[in-house]
Amino acid sequence: MSVIPCLVDRWSEENNNIILTWKQNERGLEPNQHVRKRCWSESLKLLQKIRGIPAATERLELEMTVSYNTFLFSLNFCNASEIEESLTNSLSRALEACGSQVSCSDPVQLWEAVLQTLGSSVYVPCVHKLLLIQWMLWLMQCQSERVLTLLMQTNHKREHSAPVNLQTETRNLALSTEEDSSLKVAMAAKDLKDLLHICTVMCEGVEQMKMERYSEALEAFQEAQGLPSPRSLLGQIHTLTGQSFAKLGQPHCALHFYRKAVEVDGACLSALYQSALVFRQLGNPKAEIEALHLLYSAVQLQSDKSSSIASLVSPAVLFGGAQMTFISRVPSPSRILHTLAHTCLIKKYIYFVSISISDGVEYYLDLLASLQSDGKDLILTGDGTSFPRIPVVYLEAGFALLKAKRYCDALVVCEEVITSTLDFIPERLLLDADEKLKGADSDVVLENVDLVLWAGAAHLLQAQAHWKLKDTKEAITNFTRAINQLVKVFIKQKDWKQKHFGNTEAMIERMVTVEAAKGQALAGRGLCFLEGGQLKEALRDLNLSLQMTPGCKNTEMWLTEVLWRLDRREEASAHWREVHSTEDAPKSIKLPLYLQLWPDDTAFDFSDLKKKMEGYIQAK
């Protein structure tokens, strides 16, 4: 009969050695993941040995403790259903050891039997450890109703004077967290209970947010703030509180809590990101850009740090993928860089905010370097995220360089787009506005239109760079190349804007953009011809440009100048009056950033034309 006590002692020592190894690792003596996997493997083998003989009360405390440790170690190596299956086995063996059997697969009923059988025994601390594991697994799977049922079973002796809900049950939960010094555990039951408590309350708040019940969500987060928690978790609580205030239309309260989140946890990236969104909403571009810059720096620092050290049970594991994405959503570094660069350009040249253009350029150059280091194919199809297609990023970078007067660099960046699209552009793209395209066919047509647009826009930006460099001959050549690319897309019907083109708004948007790009290229070439004295060619191109993009003031003025120089004074005078009788230009269409430059940003001086026209009209 002395064999059993000998086994218990030996297996207890084996368990304690495994936990000692883990505790040393937690103090940073060895890389985390390797040690964790080894502890899991050794603990699993020990559990299998214990389960290799019939369950008995003299080994029950040991078996349940080893089960608890094994389940904790297994979180990174097994899915929740596998752990739950093993947990069910442990509970069934505990009942078997006490001479009770339950032939059911429902874990709720199984727990009811375990709590009734062992709830008043010396094994309560061990039972409650396994109950914490069950709570953890159901929390990971977002099964809050099951968690509530489990906690109510545990609190069955308490009278319910208030409505039953998960927050109340969690708050009033009385668990035995005593530890047996002779059997070491990987994580103290009290620590796990505290972590589960705060994460459960946070999950309840997140669910309220998803249902757009933000006041109720605030109540949950305010309760969570008063619970013991690691700094990183408290930072996330403050961030979620801020998000709730933002949704309730209180942006300044939101910023207050985002600031608290960063003060508590400097690595709380989601707080920085949400701050940037609020600053954008408040119309404060400088603060938005500062927040995005801090966010990008923090993301870079975080990616440089080793991720080998991690807690045994992390909030990220407890929340699950979907919940964690909601709680700590932050764009990728590439997306942050693009938002920074794009915001600098948009705020500077669309909303005329005093922001340094050189900052935007540097962000774009960093982004291009990042994309190249990642080996991204320039014509790779979209990945379904909000990140723009890579040729668009290159074109925006070329536009930024043009704005910064770095014309030679702009030429190089745009050449990347031209050479990368060269083999993919169709010879001709004849479109029928009456034809309703199916999903796949529509995608192919959109892709082909995009390729033509990107190549044409790249030539257009190059032409503008050559014009700024006073190289009119090269400017004309590239304006012509842009036009030749863009006219490859042809629509049968002249009234296509009034039709449901291809049964998709995306196609109309693309075609309007192509037309605008053609108009800009024709206007640009017309201006070059005007400067070179080729008046007939200038007249042709400017008239065609106004057909593509009617209402452009600059183009109208250039056309007036051409008519005047051709000695068609009456036409020039009539045209001048018409231009100045229009109070406001027609509403501008929404164009990509890289098409915002020409012709409204030219340095053409109309003062001489104005003097001539006013003198002519007065003389009449």
Side-chain angles (χ1 to χ4, degrees), residues 149-416:
T149 303
L150 179 66
L151 301 189
M152 286 176 63
Q153 288 176 344
T154 310
N155 287 340
H156 71 280
K157 293 181 181 179
R158 188 175 61 85
E159 292 185 6
H160 297 280
S161 57
V164 174
N165 62 61
L166 188 51
Q167 280 177 247
T168 305
E169 289 300 317
T170 307
R171 190 184 309 125
N172 297 317
L173 181 63
L175 288 184
S176 174
T177 55
E178 297 174 11
E179 302 290 355
D180 182 348
S181 59
S182 66
L183 279 173
K184 298 187 181 299
V185 290
M187 183 176 189
K190 183 182 183 305
D191 294 342
L192 181 56
K193 175 183 175 291
D194 289 344
L195 184 59
L196 289 171
H197 184 176
I198 193 168
C199 289
T200 301
V201 175
M202 286 178 68
C203 283
E204 284 294 286
V206 168
E207 288 304 313
Q208 297 292 345
M209 287 185 72
K210 288 179 178 178
M211 292 186 285
E212 300 184 359
R213 296 165 60 177
Y214 301 111
S215 296
E216 291 83 350
L218 275 175
E219 290 178 13
F221 298 138
Q222 285 165 358
E223 178 179 340
Q225 287 172 30
L227 298 173
S229 66
R231 297 175 71 87
S232 59
L233 206 52
L234 185 55
Q236 289 175 339
I237 294 167
H238 287 320
T239 303
L240 290 167
T241 304
Q243 285 179 257
S244 298
F245 275 117
K247 291 293 185 180
L248 288 168
Q250 300 182 48
H252 295 289
C253 288
L255 287 173
H256 170 71
F257 278 96
Y258 295 148
R259 191 179 304 113
K260 285 184 72 174
V262 176
E263 287 171 357
V264 167
D265 176 19
C268 189
L269 306 181
S270 53
L272 289 170
Y273 175 56
Q274 294 298 329
S275 297
L277 296 182
V278 171
F279 285 130
R280 182 181 303 170
Q281 177 192 341
L282 293 172
N284 189 341
K286 286 188 175 180
E288 178 191 349
I289 289 170
E290 183 181 355
L292 288 169
H293 181 76
L294 289 171
L295 174 61
Y296 181 69
S297 301
V299 168
Q300 292 295 98
L301 283 172
Q302 197 171 79
S303 64
D304 291 339
K305 289 180 181 178
S306 171
S307 60
S308 63
I309 302 300
S311 59
L312 187 60
V313 182
S314 68
V317 170
L318 296 179
F319 290 133
Q323 295 280 54
M324 200 61 202
T325 300
F326 184 91
I327 291 169
S328 59
R329 52 190 167 189
V330 173
S332 67
S334 295
R335 181 62 183 157
I336 298 168
L337 261 183
H338 178 261
T339 304
L340 263 171
H342 192 271
T343 302
C344 283
L345 269 289
I346 283 287
K347 301 302 181 185
K348 175 74 175 179
Y349 284 96
I350 307 302
Y351 300 107
F352 308 107
V353 176
S354 56
I355 292 172
S356 172
I357 188 66
S358 60
D359 290 341
V361 169
E362 291 308 315
Y363 290 135
Y364 269 116
L365 294 178
D366 287 345
L367 178 56
L368 296 188
S370 172
L371 294 173
Q372 288 173 348
S373 67
D374 290 342
K376 297 275 188 182
D377 187 341
L378 198 63
I379 308 301
L380 195 66
T381 54
D383 58 5
T385 67
S386 57
F387 192 79
R389 296 289 296 276
I390 295 177
V392 173
V393 177
Y394 272 76
L395 290 170
E396 289 177 357
F399 168 83
L401 289 162
L402 206 55
K403 287 288 188 182
K405 301 181 181 180
R406 294 173 58 173
Y407 306 123
C408 293
D409 291 333
L411 290 170
V412 172
V413 169
C414 291
E415 191 63 31
E416 285 288 323

Side-chain angles (χ1 to χ4, degrees), residues 15-56:
N15 170 78
N16 292 344
N17 287 336
I18 294 169
I19 301 307
L20 281 172
T21 301
W22 171 251
K23 293 298 182 183
Q24 287 177 341
N25 171 73
E26 277 194 318
R27 291 192 289 272
L29 299 180
E30 291 189 58
N32 180 280
Q33 280 300 95
H34 294 138
V35 177
R36 180 174 187 153
K37 192 167 187 177
R38 191 168 80 237
C39 290
W40 167 64
S41 177
E42 292 175 358
S43 189
L44 181 60
K45 288 176 184 176
L46 175 58
L47 181 59
Q48 288 169 343
K49 284 191 285 187
I50 295 171
R51 287 178 175 176
I53 58 179

Side-chain angles (χ1 to χ4, degrees), residues 431-474:
L431 304 178
D432 187 344
D434 292 326
E435 183 182 357
K436 291 187 178 181
L437 300 172
K438 294 181 180 178
D441 294 333
S442 178
D443 290 343
V444 170
V445 173
L446 283 172
E447 180 75 7
N448 285 331
V449 172
D450 280 341
L451 289 166
V452 171
L453 175 61
W454 296 335
H459 283 300
L460 176 60
L461 290 173
Q462 285 191 326
Q464 293 164 10
H466 284 298
W467 186 76
K468 292 287 187 181
L469 289 167
K470 309 298 183 185
D471 189 345
T472 306
K473 183 178 178 182
E474 276 300 314

